[in-house]
Each structure stands twice: as structure tokens, then as C-alpha cells.
Amino acid sequence: MMASSQTAEPAKKVEPLLSTQEIGGTSPLGAVTMHQTINPKSPAMTETEFQLGTKIYFERCAGCHGVLRKGATGKPLTPNITLEKGSDYLHTFIYYGSAQGMPNWGTSGTLSKDEVDIMVKYIQHEPPQPPEMGMKEVLATWKLLVDPHKRPTKKMNDLDISNLFSVTLRDAGKIALIDGASKKIVKILDTGYAVHISRMSKSGRYLYVIGRDAKIVLIDLWMTTPTPVAEIKVGLEARSVETSKFKGYEDRYAIAGAYWPPQYVLMDGDTLKPLRIVGTRGMTSDTEEYHPEPRVAAIVSSNFRPEFLVNAKETGMVHMVDYSDLENLKVTMIKTPRFLHDGGFESTGRYFMDAANASDKIAVIDTKEDKLAAIVEVGKTPHPGRGANFIHPKFGPVWATSHLGDETISMIGTDPVKHKATAWKVVGTLKGAGGGSLFIKSHPKSTHLWVDAALNPDEKISQSIAVFDIKNLDNGFKVLPIAEWAALGKGVKRVLQPEYNKAGDEVWFSVWSAANEESAIVVVDDKTLKLKAVIKDKALVTPTGKFNVYNTQHDVY
């Protein structure tokens, strides 16, 4: 958040370059009561001002700067730094923002002058610490809604579950289950605050949905109508959930990681009953300094061992959690660059391509040998989602990532056997439509590469999609006007997260407007690049992530 002071007077209302609310997301911790520690060196604050500052911080800032303000995507905001900078400097920076990604909270009208003044004082005080949650507290949130013995022993509906889409309705706290063939909404289900992702059990029967409030809802897709059968809160704020995939352990365990408290919880796969809780606090991978808040970001399940790979964001440590013996739990720690976020497997499912986004690197982790295979320098702030696997005309199998901080797409060679010379190296860089990309996607049956730019400040870019012909990458990209095809009314209409259907012959896009404005899902024919369908419904409130059951179940991307 630190940068040189700006002195120009505010002119017209402008949109921030990148909103931390959108990158890091709002935090449910804003509603949690926290203790105020009085620092005599800090500007005086009333209790009312402090509580408002806490609410604003967790709604706007915590996603990037961290619960304890130690920094991650955003810079640290601890009092030793902010007190030295002084109130005038902090006011200017919060009000005007910076070209490095700090939103202009004042000139954009997001915060009033009084609210900016409160935040100037708030970040000069000691960060309040939210309450911890141990096994007693986690277990108290667990609800078994339908006992496994009372669930069906076979599929009781005629749904084509493998081509079902679980669609995040972010601001509604719900998901929509949409049939991939008919494009009809099968069911709207209540889940939790700001739903983040959906994950499938190995069998394809159970759908796990986690929201930013750390609430997990387990949905049984075999029932006559898909129905929640269990729920739990693994903390106060979270992002990730995954299930066991290794042979012999299919569907047996689930795991979820929390942003706060910094920990992960292992659970029974079919009931969500908590079994073990493991904290992530520890030393950073580079300077080996203690960090009190290593938030758990992406979690993936190994195909080669009974292990979960757990990203501890702030420390840069990947926890390889062996779930074969929970009583005598073994965790292998792999050092990678710091600020781990998202990532996915390359095409063989052996190597995890792990984005350390604030370090501008991809860590390559060998899940068969349990070791770091390589570190690859890429563009500015990689944000691949799961990334995209395809066959490059010259370099063979590659995995690609787009970036939040620039318009490039980095392609990394992923074949250490037949293409050893180019394995774990950037073999080529494409120029996309613009920075602010959140997701990139391809499919084994497709010859196209799709790249969004949902957070780009230019609405012509954020409301469209760039598509490359993999066989002719040098020809650049075509632009498809996805938001225009949706034919919506007013609204931001950010286009994001390409997701293929099971067959790999059509791609679904979210057209994401505000909660009080119309949104939609646009379906494009992957072969012709022409509009195939537009899904609209009043229930489709802020659709963001879409997860095809088959592709999610089998790590197809």
C-alpha cells in the first residue's frame, strides 16, 4: 500500500485500476467482535470509529493485506510502518490510490472523506486479532443433515450428473446446478457467504461447496433432487476444499483450508465430521522468519500418493499431507517462493504447477517424488486458476498461465521425457488483450486457448474474451464480445472464467454484474466461435465460477 505521495486535487470520479475487493475479496471477519489495543503513539480513535474501521478493513483490504496486516498481494500495514509514514501521507494514498494496484478509494466514491479519515487512523493502531477456532469450536458447527445410512445406494434421478455445472452465485450465498445439455437450472441451493469454489468427490457423487465464511456444504447428487447432507465451518474465513483421490481412498476424506485461523481441517468425506486440525503458522521459506498468519490458499489431491498438497500462502511452504494414517499424521514440507495462491496439474497429473503470484513465479512440484522440481519465472502476478494444458506445435505439452499484472500469457514446457531441453522453462510468451486476467482455459479435445481479463480497467477488454488458435499461436487472438452477446442492461458486466462442458465442444462464460443488476451465462461453440446460448434468470445473481462435474472430478483443464 506504500507509494510516493500524490498532491493533485480530485477531479472526476474514476474507477480503480484493480480493486482489492475483487482480487482479495470481502472478508466475513468484518462482523466478528475484536478487541482494540490502545497504542499511545497512534491517533486517538473512539470505539465506534474503531469498529467501523475494522468493518471497512475486512470488507475492502484484508484480502490483499492480510488479517494481521502482515501483507501478501498488498504491502504490510503494521504500525511500525504506518506510524512512520504519517497521517497526511496515508490519507493521500488511500484517497487517490496508485498505479501499482491500490484502488483510489476516495476519488472513486467508494469511501467517504470521513471513512478515509477513519482508515488513516485505524491502520496506525495495532491490528486486532480475531478469535481462534480449535476442535471444540469447529465440531460445534458440524451438522449431519442426512445420515449416510439413510442416503440412496444408487443414483435416484435421471440427471446427467457428469455434464452438470455447479455455478457460484457469489453475492447471493448460493449455487445454481445447471444441466449442461438443456441449459436449464436444476436447483438453486443455499450454501454460504461469498461462495468461492465447488469440488467433486472422486466418484462424482458428492459436491463440496465452500464460501468465504469457511462454511462447507456437502451435496449428494444421487438423491432424487440434489440435496445438502452435511455442513461445517472450518474457521472464520476460507477459500479451499478438496477430497481424497488416491486409489483405495476415493471419497474417504475431505480437507479444507482457512484464511483465519491459519489452519486446515481433515474430515470424513461423506459426513464432514472433523478428524484433525493442523496449524500453518511457522517460518517463511526465504528468510525463515516467523509468520503468524500463513493463510491456506489452493489445495489439490495427489494422484500418485495418499496426499493433499496444501498451499500456505504467506510462508511459501507447501504441506504434503499424508492421509494414510491420521493418528500418526505425516506432513512433508516443500519450500517454494512465497505468496502461494492457485494452480493446477500439467497434463499427466504428476506435476503441480503452483503460482506464487506476488513473487511472479510458478513452482513445479513433483507429486510422485514429493519434491520441488523447478521454479519458473513468469509475468507479473500470475493468476492461472487451474491453468491450461495443450500441445504446442513446436514444444509439445505445455501448461499456460495468464497474469493479473500484465497482458502476457506464459507457456511452460511440461514434458521432461520427450522434450527434456524445454521442460520447466517458458517456451513462449503470448500477448493477450490486457492485464487483469483471472482465468485461462483449454481442453484436450479443443484447439483453442481462452483468456479472460475480467479486472482490466478498460470495459471493452473486461467485457470480452480473447481466444487463440493453438495451431497458429503467432497469429494472435480473436476478440469475442461476450457481454454484448448477453444483451444485458446496465452494469459492470465483467466476463470471466471460461469453463468447458464434458464433451469439450462448448465453453461457458460468466457475465458478472453487481448484485442488483442483471447477469448471465454465455455459451459459445468451441469449433465455430459463435454464440450458442445465453442463460438468464433472476436467480443468477453475480455468477462467477462454474465447475463442470466431469472436468472438476478428473482435473481436465
Side-chain angles (χ1 to χ4, degrees):
M1 185 171 173
M2 302 296 104
S4 58
S5 177
Q6 303 178 37
T7 57
E9 290 298 317
K12 62 180 182 179
K13 177 177 178 179
V14 295
E15 294 300 321
L17 177 65
L18 293 176
S19 167
T20 51
Q21 184 179 9
E22 293 168 325
I23 298 173
T26 58
S27 168
L29 290 173
V32 176
T33 301
M34 300 185 202
H35 176 69
Q36 179 180 1
T37 301
I38 304 298
N39 185 336
K41 296 181 181 180
S42 303
M45 292 190 79
T46 66
E47 184 176 345
T48 299
E49 288 177 327
F50 183 82
Q51 293 303 326
L52 178 57
T54 300
K55 180 177 185 293
I56 293 172
Y57 182 81
F58 285 103
E59 286 181 349
R60 305 290 182 184
C61 319
C64 284
H65 296 286
V67 171
L68 301 180
R69 307 211 299 262
K70 293 288 185 177
T73 304
K75 297 290 182 65
L77 296 176
T78 47
N80 63 307
I81 296 172
T82 55
L83 283 169
E84 181 181 341
K85 293 294 182 181
S87 296
D88 289 344
Y89 174 90
L90 296 173
H91 187 281
T92 298
F93 197 78
I94 294 172
Y95 198 88
Y96 292 98
S98 82
Q100 285 71 44
M102 172 66 183
N104 49 326
W105 296 115
T107 59
S108 69
T110 305
L111 298 180
S112 69
K113 184 180 183 300
D114 288 343
E115 288 172 332
V116 171
D117 290 340
I118 286 173
M119 294 313 296
V120 167
K121 293 188 285 187
Y122 179 80
I123 62 175
Q124 293 181 76
H125 281 257
E126 294 295 329
Q129 181 166 314
E132 303 286 340
M133 284 187 72
M135 181 58 79
K136 178 183 177 181
E137 291 78 16
V138 171
L139 190 58
T141 71
W142 175 53
K143 296 178 182 178
L144 184 59
L145 305 175
V146 181
D147 189 279
H149 296 99
K150 296 182 179 180
R151 299 174 198 169
T153 57
K154 62 180 181 179
K155 190 163 80 77
M156 301 299 291
N157 57 63
D158 58 1
L159 294 173
D160 180 4
I161 290 176
S162 64
N163 199 30
L164 199 64
F165 286 76
S166 176
V167 179
T168 295
L169 305 179
R170 174 179 161 138
D171 294 343
K174 304 173 187 288
I175 62 161
L177 296 177
I178 302 181
D179 177 65
S182 68
K183 314 297 188 292
K184 301 293 186 183
I185 296 176
V186 173
K187 184 81 171 180
I188 301 287
L189 294 169
D190 290 324
T191 48
Y193 169 90
V195 177
H196 196 64
I197 62 170
S198 299
R199 289 290 180 261
M200 291 304 307
S201 66
K202 180 65 174 179
S203 69
R205 173 177 184 169
Y206 290 115
L207 177 67
Y208 299 77
V209 180
I210 190 166
R212 296 190 178 209
D213 58 356
K215 179 181 177 181
I216 305 171
V217 175
L218 176 61
I219 298 164
D220 187 351
L221 299 178
W222 278 15
M223 300 183 83
T224 304
T225 301
T227 302
V229 294
E231 63 180 55
I232 194 172
K233 277 178 65 72
V234 297
L236 297 171
E237 182 175 5
R239 297 292 188 276
S240 52
V241 66
E242 182 60 288
T243 68
S244 53
K245 295 181 179 179
F246 189 67
K247 186 176 181 180
Y249 294 89
E250 298 93 334
D251 293 24
R252 187 181 300 184
Y253 298 118
I255 184 173
Y259 265 28
W260 189 270
Q263 61 192 30
Y264 47 92
V265 181
L266 293 117
M267 300 160 281
D268 273 331
D270 60 356
T271 68
L272 298 183
K273 181 179 180 180
L275 304 173
R276 289 293 303 269
I277 300 178
V278 181
T280 58
R281 292 181 173 103
M283 301 301 179
T284 59
S285 60
D286 46 9
T287 58
E288 298 200 357
E289 296 177 69
Y290 178 75
H291 199 292
E293 189 197 347
R295 297 176 291 177
V296 177
I299 302 176
V300 297
S301 187
S302 172
N303 298 295
F304 286 84
R305 294 169 180 258
E307 286 183 334
F308 294 117
L309 284 73
V310 180
N311 275 353
K313 182 190 286 280
E314 280 75 13
T315 54
M317 302 297 295
V318 178
H319 296 226
M320 311 286 283
V321 183
D322 185 339
Y323 54 74
S324 63
D325 183 358
L326 296 191
E327 288 300 315
N328 302 285
L329 192 68
K330 296 179 181 178
V331 180
T332 300
M333 308 288 283
I334 297 181
K335 293 173 63 174
T336 74
R338 294 180 64 189
F339 311 115
L340 298 168
H341 191 63
D342 52 356
F345 288 107
E346 45 70 55
S347 59
T348 70
R350 172 173 173 173
Y351 297 93
F352 179 49
M353 313 296 288
D354 200 357
N357 57 13
S359 295
D360 304 333
K361 295 178 174 67
I362 301 294
V364 182
I365 298 173
D366 185 344
T367 63
K368 185 175 181 180
E369 300 293 336
D370 266 12
K371 65 181 183 182
L372 181 69
I375 296 174
V376 186
E377 297 267 359
V378 290
K380 181 65 175 174
T381 319
H383 194 289
R386 291 298 189 95
N389 289 299
F390 57 93
I391 304 299
H392 191 281
K394 181 178 179 181
F395 299 107
V398 299
W399 178 91
T401 180
S402 52
H403 302 87
L404 273 169
D406 65 39
E407 74 275 17
T408 65
I409 296 103
S410 298
M411 298 176 289
I412 300 171
T414 60
D415 183 2
V417 179
K418 295 181 180 180
H419 298 82
K420 187 175 181 179
T422 54
W424 320 133
K425 297 178 181 177
V426 174
V427 298
T429 301
L430 303 173
K431 185 176 181 181
S437 176
L438 291 175
F439 299 100
I440 183 171
K441 191 63 66 78
S442 189
H443 189 279
K445 296 181 180 179
S446 173
T447 60
H448 291 125
L449 175 67
W450 303 83
V451 185
D452 71 20
L455 299 188
N456 195 281
D458 184 340
E459 68 176 29
K460 291 182 180 179
I461 297 175
S462 66
Q463 294 185 6
S464 61
I465 198 79
V467 55
F468 292 83
D469 178 354
I470 292 171
K471 294 181 179 179
N472 299 283
L473 292 169
D474 292 339
N475 291 346
F477 58 87
K478 292 182 179 179
V479 175
L480 302 187
I482 302 297
E484 179 183 319
W485 287 349
L488 302 174
K490 64 178 183 178
V492 179
K493 297 188 285 292
R494 298 190 189 278
V495 172
L496 74 156
Q497 209 260 331
E499 177 73 354
Y500 277 87
N501 63 344
K502 178 184 177 181
D505 59 9
E506 62 185 33
V507 192
W508 293 35
F509 299 92
S510 297
V511 184
W512 170 27
S513 290
N516 60 346
E517 294 165 344
E518 188 180 23
S519 294
I521 293 171
V522 170
V523 183
V524 175
D525 187 298
D526 183 70
K527 298 291 189 297
T528 65
L529 306 185
K530 293 182 178 180
L531 176 64
K532 192 169 185 178
V534 177
I535 305 172
K536 293 182 181 179
D537 194 287
K538 289 182 179 179
L540 291 180
V541 177
T542 60
T544 53
K546 302 165 299 302
F547 303 89
N548 176 267
V549 166
Y550 182 87
N551 294 337
T552 305
Q553 178 187 358
H554 297 283
D555 290 316
V556 177
Y557 37 80

